[in-house]
Amino acid sequence: MNEERIVRKHMDIYGRVQGVGFRYSACYAASDLGLTGWVRNRWDGSVEMEVQGTEERIRELLGMLNRGRFISIEKIEEKTIPIVSKETKFKIR
């Protein structure tokens, strides 16, 4: 059985993502999935997020967010970045 590798992704998320509970939904879902990182609104109406965990759990998080009642993700710009080893939770910035 393969051991799941931990990765960290930096994402700029565009669409209807501000004023719709995106950050709170991301925080609760990420915590439930055992992911760490942070999320914050940006001045241009997008949301910036760094999330750390397995690829599978990160994809699961994005799926949960996109099924949100008012949230509508149109585009995600994503890149893999170095992991943060001492991080213990997901928070809203």
Side-chain angles (χ1 to χ4, degrees):
M1 192 163 140
N2 285 346
E3 185 177 319
E4 297 262 14
R5 192 168 74 90
I6 300 297
V7 296
R8 186 174 188 91
K9 303 279 186 175
H10 178 272
M11 300 177 188
D12 294 316
I13 304 169
Y14 301 89
R16 194 171 57 212
V17 293
Q18 283 193 19
V20 291
F22 185 96
R23 292 175 301 154
Y24 295 99
S25 297
C27 193
Y28 288 124
S31 297
D32 284 348
L33 292 168
L35 300 170
T36 63
W38 53 266
V39 62
R40 69 177 167 204
N41 284 341
R42 296 184 56 183
W43 63 271
D44 64 357
S46 67
V47 170
E48 182 180 17
M49 181 165 69
E50 283 190 11
V51 62
Q52 183 168 297
T54 64
E55 289 271 4
E56 182 181 350
R57 292 286 172 121
I58 292 170
R59 295 288 150 237
E60 203 173 330
L61 169 66
L62 293 173
M64 290 167 77
L65 290 171
N66 212 19
R67 285 191 300 272
R69 188 166 171 199
F70 301 106
I71 295 167
S72 176
I73 297 172
E74 293 172 10
K75 179 174 81 167
I76 300 174
E77 293 174 358
E78 172 186 307
K79 64 183 174 189
T80 302
I81 59 175
I83 65 167
V84 177
S85 59
K86 293 187 181 355
E87 190 173 64
T88 59
K89 62 183 177 177
F90 193 94
K91 59 188 171 199
I92 296 170
R93 285 191 172 171

